[in-house]
Amino acid sequence: MQKYSLAIHGGAGAILRSEMTPERELGYRSALLAALGAGEAVLRNGGGALSAVEAAVVALEDNELFNAGRGSVFTHDGTNEMDASIMCGEKLQAGAVAMVQGVRNPILLARRVMEASEHVFLCGAGALRFAQEHGLEEAPPEYFFSPFRFRQLEEARARGLVQLDHSRKYGTVGAVACDAHGNLAAATSTGGLTNKKYGRIGDSPIIGSGTYANNRTCAVSCTGHGEYFIQGVIAYDLSCLMEYKGMSLQEAADFVIHHKQQALGGDGGLIAVDARGNLALPFNSAGMYRAWVREGEEAGVGIYE
Amino acid sequence: MQKYSLAIHGGAGAILRSEMTPERELGYRSALLAALGAGEAVLRNGGGALSAVEAAVVALEDNELFNAGRGSVFTHDGTNEMDASIMCGEKLQAGAVAMVQGVRNPILLARRVMEASEHVFLCGAGALRFAQEHGLEEAPPEYFFSPFRFRQLEEARARGLVQLDHSRKYGTVGAVACDAHGNLAAATSTGGLTNKKYGRIGDSPIIGSGTYANNRTCAVSCTGHGEYFIQGVIAYDLSCLMEYKGMSLQEAADFVIHHKQQALGGDGGLIAVDARGNLALPFNSAGMYRAWVREGEEAGVGIYE
């Protein structure tokens, strides 16, 4: 049996130490470890990688500290529009949703799209209709409302800015896992950009850019300046560097984040796992909320370098 | 100076010979050659690859024979929702739109997103708002109405089917070009699936799946069963096979279509060009509407193998 491993992230970016009180930092660390624990419980009980990344991302979506699910930021129009995607490395199946409103856990919807529809990618009102027909749990606007996020919107509106979450933090959550059978899975979920207009879609729901999983190589979830991750097709690039160029997971992960993304001008990070359970969590921004665990080892958690 | 080259497609799939009269075939061939000519005129006059693929795709969008722009099929709700994307191989810039209604040429909107927005991918009503603010030409529902397409919708509705255009033809158009400076560009546009529900998005607007361009490797536009092209990240896969594994354009193109896509179960094809002007136009379906030309050579056009 393969030893399992799991990593999660709660977004990357310029997380300012000056704005980080010990209490806030403790809150983030606790939340990350709780989400990691939710995913690890699945793996410890013999569950699969797909269920583990789903459980971890659900926990992150349910926590209003993170910009996904409940804690999603507000668009220009005062709504919450969420994107999510999930991929299974064994059969290369994938599901993704974009611009979804009113669904409590977009990652569960992405998985349902993967398993119960003939499509990979559903968007907007149509994705909500699919969610309703499949009995996904909905949540009213109040569920997604937080005074903190609304103040962010009002500040962004006043300054005419599209904001990448608070203090240029890229608000995204994600998880990658390798289970006891060597199966890989990746999941990513986001509430997008504060004050966003024009129906902007970032890399989070894009298979190959924000999320990718393939048992032959790795599972990847990205966070950062989404446009650059789309142009660089970053998640699949990492996989190709392993498959076609023979790089190790760590080499490939470092290369795409520290060489390719920086060359494009994009900042952010990613979490990745290979089929032997190795983990890589590189980022070129000032910080990335992250936690990780390998079977039989102590869990790790970090925010800054 | 590099000799220019250009290829276009008007969709792949099981194009039945039994339904193809000599008159219809002539109509398709003429339309393909006219669109090729529109793109080639740009290159002959010293224009760039980006303008050439745009001109070719505009011509295909304006022709109601093809499922893109004017000839777009109807969704379940009787609307026309269009997707398009474009990428410039020199700077890896990209623009994409999905689920756009009422814009005459979605490919022009994708280019405007690339050049005039800070985003790569805009969707739905927000993309239309962006189009209006940037003065893109709109068109009323009648412009997109054809009795032929509406009859397809009624047939599909009656049988409860989501249809991949007529006779399982994958209705997409695209173009790839290499200009005199060795710059590459790719563009793809589609009207999607007849009777589609749930806001389904295929591979056409997905950078890395339906469209990709990079001067170091190739420019690619895909057509086929979109879900498989998303899972395979096909357009970028071709580029990685060249960049990381050292394959030629033809080897890489054949590999992704005849090996990878067939292994996934997906059918379709692609057109691709490299920075030396070599062209590849593989497909594993019964046919693919296509045309191509290299500077100083006679243009080619084909439907079947």
Side-chain angles (χ1 to χ4, degrees):
Chain A
M1 296 286 270
Q2 167 73 45
K3 286 194 177 184
Y4 67 70
S5 52
L6 173 70
I8 65 171
H9 70 77
I15 303 162
L16 299 177
R17 279 189 197 270
S18 56
E19 294 181 8
M20 185 63 84
T21 64
E23 292 74 24
R24 287 189 68 186
E25 185 164 343
L26 189 63
Y28 277 111
R29 284 173 176 270
S30 307
L32 287 165
L33 287 173
L36 188 76
E40 190 183 3
V42 173
L43 295 169
R44 196 187 306 112
N45 295 323
L50 200 61
S51 297
V53 297
E54 177 186 278
V57 169
V58 163
L60 292 162
E61 284 179 340
D62 287 349
N63 190 313
E64 64 181 5
L65 282 177
F66 302 103
N67 176 17
R70 182 173 197 177
S72 293
V73 300
F74 288 97
T75 67
H76 183 73
D77 299 323
T79 58
N80 302 103
E81 287 181 353
M82 301 170 286
D83 306 336
S85 64
I86 193 165
M87 189 161 181
C88 158
E90 186 184 2
K91 297 185 175 173
L92 304 184
Q93 291 168 316
V97 294
M99 297 181 59
V100 171
Q101 296 186 23
V103 172
R104 183 182 164 118
N105 289 109
I107 200 66
L108 297 180
L109 177 56
R111 184 167 178 182
R112 196 67 62 94
V113 169
M114 177 176 87
E115 293 178 341
S117 90
E118 56 190 327
H119 302 310
V120 166
F121 194 9
L122 303 184
C123 183
L128 178 58
R129 199 194 317 180
F130 179 88
Q132 290 165 336
E133 289 180 14
H134 286 77
L136 271 285
E137 188 177 352
E138 294 182 70
E142 309 86 79
Y143 173 78
F144 300 98
F145 184 86
S146 89
F148 166 65
R149 296 296 189 197
F150 199 73
R151 205 163 55 241
Q152 284 183 356
L153 171 62
E154 288 179 324
E155 287 170 15
R157 272 181 179 160
R159 289 186 289 160
L161 289 176
V162 176
Q163 286 227 320
L164 294 158
D165 198 11
H166 188 56
S167 309
R168 284 178 293 134
K169 182 177 98 58
Y170 299 109
T172 307
V173 307
V176 295
C178 171
D179 65 26
H181 302 285
N183 286 323
L184 304 183
T188 310
S189 180
T190 186
L193 308 181
T194 296
N195 200 29
K196 75 171 174 179
K197 287 200 291 190
Y198 305 127
R200 178 260 189 187
I201 297 177
D203 64 314
S204 300
I206 308 293
I207 300 302
S209 293
T211 304
Y212 186 73
N214 186 336
N215 280 4
R216 296 175 59 178
T217 52
C218 58
V220 188
S221 170
C222 298
T223 167
H225 197 140
E227 278 69 17
Y228 294 101
F229 281 78
I230 293 176
Q231 290 170 226
V233 201
I234 289 300
Y236 189 58
D237 195 38
L238 203 169
S239 175
C240 288
L241 285 165
M242 295 177 67
E243 184 170 4
Y244 301 144
K245 219 172 160 68
M247 284 192 186
S248 71
L249 181 82
Q250 189 70 54
E251 287 169 343
D254 285 343
F255 185 76
V256 299
I257 292 299
H258 296 300
H259 181 77
K260 285 227 172 171
Q261 272 307 78
Q262 232 143 9
L264 281 170
D267 64 333
L270 60 81
I271 55 174
V273 63
D274 69 19
R276 300 170 68 180
N278 296 304
L279 293 168
L281 300 89
F283 56 96
N284 62 30
S285 45
M288 179 169 79
Y289 294 105
R290 62 200 185 278
W292 63 95
V293 67
R294 296 183 64 169
E295 188 172 354
E297 297 179 17
E298 202 176 346
V301 60
I303 299 176
Y304 302 101
E305 277 187 63
Chain B
M1 297 286 271
Q2 167 74 48
K3 286 193 178 185
Y4 66 70
S5 52
L6 173 71
I8 65 171
H9 71 77
I15 303 162
L16 299 177
R17 278 189 197 268
S18 56
E19 294 183 8
M20 185 63 82
T21 63
E23 292 73 23
R24 286 188 68 186
E25 186 164 342
L26 188 63
Y28 278 110
R29 286 174 175 268
S30 306
L32 287 165
L33 287 173
L36 188 76
E40 190 184 2
V42 173
L43 296 168
R44 196 186 307 114
N45 294 322
L50 199 60
S51 297
V53 296
E54 177 187 279
V57 170
V58 163
L60 292 163
E61 284 179 341
D62 288 348
N63 190 315
E64 64 181 5
L65 283 176
F66 303 104
N67 176 17
R70 182 173 197 177
S72 293
V73 300
F74 288 96
T75 68
H76 184 72
D77 300 323
T79 58
N80 302 103
E81 288 180 354
M82 301 169 286
D83 307 336
S85 64
I86 193 165
M87 189 161 183
C88 157
E90 186 184 2
K91 298 185 175 171
L92 305 183
Q93 292 169 315
V97 293
M99 296 180 61
V100 171
Q101 295 186 20
V103 172
R104 183 181 164 119
N105 289 109
I107 200 66
L108 297 180
L109 177 54
R111 183 166 179 183
R112 196 66 63 94
V113 169
M114 177 176 87
E115 293 178 339
S117 89
E118 54 190 325
H119 302 310
V120 168
F121 194 10
L122 304 184
C123 183
L128 178 58
R129 199 194 316 181
F130 179 87
Q132 289 165 336
E133 289 180 15
H134 285 79
L136 271 285
E137 189 178 351
E138 294 182 69
E142 309 87 78
Y143 173 78
F144 300 98
F145 183 85
S146 87
F148 166 65
R149 295 297 189 198
F150 199 73
R151 203 162 57 241
Q152 285 182 355
L153 171 63
E154 288 179 325
E155 287 171 14
R157 273 181 177 160
R159 287 185 291 160
L161 288 176
V162 176
Q163 286 226 323
L164 295 158
D165 197 12
H166 189 55
S167 309
R168 283 177 296 133
K169 181 177 99 58
Y170 299 110
T172 307
V173 306
V176 296
C178 173
D179 65 25
H181 302 286
N183 285 323
L184 304 183
T188 309
S189 180
T190 186
L193 308 183
T194 296
N195 201 29
K196 75 171 175 179
K197 286 202 291 190
Y198 304 128
R200 178 261 189 186
I201 296 177
D203 65 314
S204 300
I206 309 292
I207 299 302
S209 293
T211 303
Y212 186 72
N214 186 337
N215 280 5
R216 295 174 59 177
T217 52
C218 58
V220 188
S221 170
C222 298
T223 167
H225 196 140
E227 278 69 17
Y228 294 101
F229 282 78
I230 293 176
Q231 291 170 227
V233 202
I234 290 301
Y236 189 58
D237 195 39
L238 203 170
S239 175
C240 288
L241 285 165
M242 294 177 67
E243 184 170 5
Y244 301 146
K245 220 171 159 71
M247 284 191 187
S248 70
L249 181 83
Q250 189 70 52
E251 287 169 344
D254 285 342
F255 185 76
V256 298
I257 291 299
H258 297 299
H259 181 77
K260 284 225 171 171
Q261 272 306 79
Q262 230 142 12
L264 281 170
D267 65 334
L270 60 80
I271 54 173
V273 62
D274 68 18
R276 298 170 69 180
N278 295 305
L279 293 168
L281 299 88
F283 55 96
N284 63 30
S285 45
M288 178 168 78
Y289 295 105
R290 61 200 186 278
W292 64 94
V293 66
R294 296 183 65 169
E295 188 173 352
E297 297 178 17
E298 204 175 344
V301 60
I303 299 176
Y304 302 101
E305 278 188 65

